[in-house]
Structure formats: C-alpha cells, structure tokens
Amino acid sequence: MSIEITALSKSFGDFPAVNNVNLKVETGEMVAFLGPSGSGKTTLLRIIAGLEFADSGNIFFSGEDVSEKSANERKAGFVFQSYALFNHMTIFENIAFGLRVVPRNKRLSKQEIRECVLSLLDTIQLSGLENRFPVQLSGGQRQRVAFARALAVKPRVLLLDEPFGALDAKVRRELRAWLSEFHNKTQLTSLFVTHDQEEAFEVANRVVIIHNGTIQQIGYPDEVRSKPANSFIHDFLALDI
Ligand SMILES: Nc1ncnc2c1ncn2[C@@H]1O[C@H](COP(=O)(O)OP(=O)(O)OP(=O)(O)O)[C@@H](O)[C@H]1O
Ligand SMILES: [Mg+2]
C-alpha cells in the first residue's frame, strides 16, 4: 500500500510541530524519518497512524483519503519504544491480544487465533516460548514480541517509532538486521522513526530528514550523504565533504 501526505500541518498551541509536510511513500518501501529530538518525527508518525489528527492537510492510503478515519479503520500496525507488553499476560496472549478484541462476528476462531500466533512466533524466531511471561525474555526478544503483536492484525502499513531505542548497541544491530530481512520478505510498506543515522541509512530504502517540523530532504541514503540539501543536514550528519 502506498502512503501520500499532502500539506500536513499540526500545531500544539502556537507551536508548529509539523509544518506543511508533503511526502509520497511507494508500496513496499521502508522509509526512515530522521531528525533531532523535538523535530516532529513522532507527531508526524502518530498523525499517519490516526492516533493524532492534523490541523490541515490530507493522508491517503493507496489513494483513499483516510485523514478523518480512526486508527482502527486505517489498519496500521505500530510499534513504539514505550509500547510495553502486558506483563501479566503470556507471550501467546500478548500476540493474540489484537485478535481477541475484535467484535465476535469478525473474530477468528480459537483454533485460527492459535495458528496465527504460532506462525508469528515462528516469524519472530521465538517458537516454543509462547507460555513465558515478558519478564522471562530479553529486551530484544520482548521487542520482537511487540512486532508480532503489531503484525497479528494484518496491518496495511507498519509504523515504527524508535522501536529499538531502549536496547543496547549489539541487540539493536541484531534487530536491525532482522527487520531488514523481515521487510525484504514481506514487502510491507513501513515508516521508521529514528534519530540514529546509522540505523536510518542501514535499514531504509529512502530517508526523510526532518527539522523544525519540516522536511529538509528526501532521498536515497547515498544521495542524502553525498548531496546534503542544506547546511543543517550537513551539520546534523556531521559530513566531511
Ligand atoms: N501533546 C503535545 N503537546 C504539546 N507539545 C507537544 C506535544 N507533543 C509533542 N509536542 C512538541 O512538538 C514537538 C515535536 O515533538 P515530537 O514528539 O514529534 O518530536 P520527535 O522528533 O519525535 O522528538 P524525539 O526524537 O525526542 O522523540 C516538540 O517540541 C514537542 O515538545
Ligand atoms: Mg519521538
């Protein structure tokens, strides 16, 4: 599914957090939003997810205007850094959560939910751990469970806000590689927020550099590094060219 954003703006009081953003993400792309703290990355992602609403501008999912639709109707899967697992539930129940809360007439059968959860456990390479509780997993394993929970509802797009932010460098690198491989396999259109340029350049097809709520440059990783559009980007990336 493609995502198109046109003239999107959002202020908190008189502070413009997102300022006239225009962006087209093609089906199957993995795009990183890269920018310093407070630049508006999370706000933009939340507006795309339907967790927050813009003051003006529109969002299209494959040509359909979803600007007024709820997060549920948009069917986006999200993984946030702070989106902790439910500690009192097993890994199985955590992943099944989104499948159990749908209205009865749309809900999968018990057996179908079981099959779906077991297949997702296989995807995140945690088969056999379904009866454990979150505290019995490592940080990286927990983060993969958060992914599985987001994927269970068969999202049309995947929105990731610093999903590896709290993890140590080694686990981050492992999860990055895992995410790239996962994306290559599924080709699920994905948006990925980070302030870590190494992460952005390694995982994303294209990078969107954000500063003060506005897009400074959109480009392929090589392009952004070899031809930064302005001095802010040059300094932010600490380029030596
Ligand atoms: N609910 C809110 N009310 C008021 N101001 C807000 C709110 N949410 C965000 N802001 C402000 O909007 C700006 C953009 O915030 P946002 O969370 O989008 O930044 P970010 O790029 O995700 O930063 P970080 O890298 O630190 O997560 C910040 O200046 C922030 O203080
Ligand atoms: Mg943020």
Side-chain angles (χ1 to χ4, degrees), residues 123-141:
T123 304
I124 59 167
Q125 294 152 15
L126 291 183
S127 293
L129 301 192
E130 59 268 29
N131 294 324
R132 289 209 195 165
F133 286 88
V135 290
Q136 299 170 306
L137 298 185
S138 74
Q141 290 172 331

Side-chain angles (χ1 to χ4, degrees), residues 13 167 222 233:
L167 303 167
D222 287 349
I233 299 172

Side-chain angles (χ1 to χ4, degrees), residues 12 15 17 36-43 162 195:
F12 294 111
F15 178 80
S37 183
S39 55
K41 307 179 296 294
T42 294
T43 307
E162 311 231 19
H195 56 253

Side-chain angles (χ1 to χ4, degrees), residues 4-139:
E4 188 168 10
I5 296 161
T6 57
L8 204 73
S9 294
K10 165 90 183 174
S11 293
F12 294 111
D14 52 13
F15 178 80
V18 173
N19 193 354
N20 192 27
V21 164
N22 294 282
L23 176 67
K24 175 96 199 262
V25 176
E26 303 296 344
T27 305
E29 269 195 300
M30 163 79 84
V31 168
F33 291 171
L34 177 65
S37 183
S39 55
K41 307 179 296 294
T42 294
T43 307
L44 180 56
L45 200 75
R46 286 174 57 84
I47 296 172
I48 297 169
L51 300 172
E52 192 97 62
F53 289 88
D55 300 330
S56 56
N58 293 83
I59 300 164
F60 301 89
F61 281 5
S62 283
E64 179 200 354
D65 190 343
V66 297
S67 314
E68 306 290 325
K69 298 217 155 141
S70 69
N72 249 341
E73 290 171 308
R74 293 188 200 188
K75 291 205 75 174
F78 28 85
V79 178
F80 294 113
Q81 182 183 340
S82 57
Y83 202 50
L85 299 177
F86 305 117
N87 282 324
H88 62 291
M89 291 185 193
T90 62
I91 300 311
F92 185 99
E93 291 304 326
N94 264 281
I95 298 174
F97 183 78
L99 300 171
R100 295 214 200 277
V101 295
V102 298
R104 188 177 284 275
N105 58 351
K106 290 191 187 152
R107 203 182 303 159
L108 298 175
S109 72
K110 240 182 147 171
Q111 184 53 28
E112 285 167 325
I113 290 178
R114 183 163 181 82
E115 279 162 21
C116 176
V117 171
L118 293 182
S119 137
L120 282 164
L121 274 164
D122 185 47
T123 304
I124 59 167
Q125 294 152 15
L126 291 183
S127 293
L129 301 192
E130 59 268 29
N131 294 324
R132 289 209 195 165
F133 286 88
V135 290
Q136 299 170 306
L137 298 185
S138 74

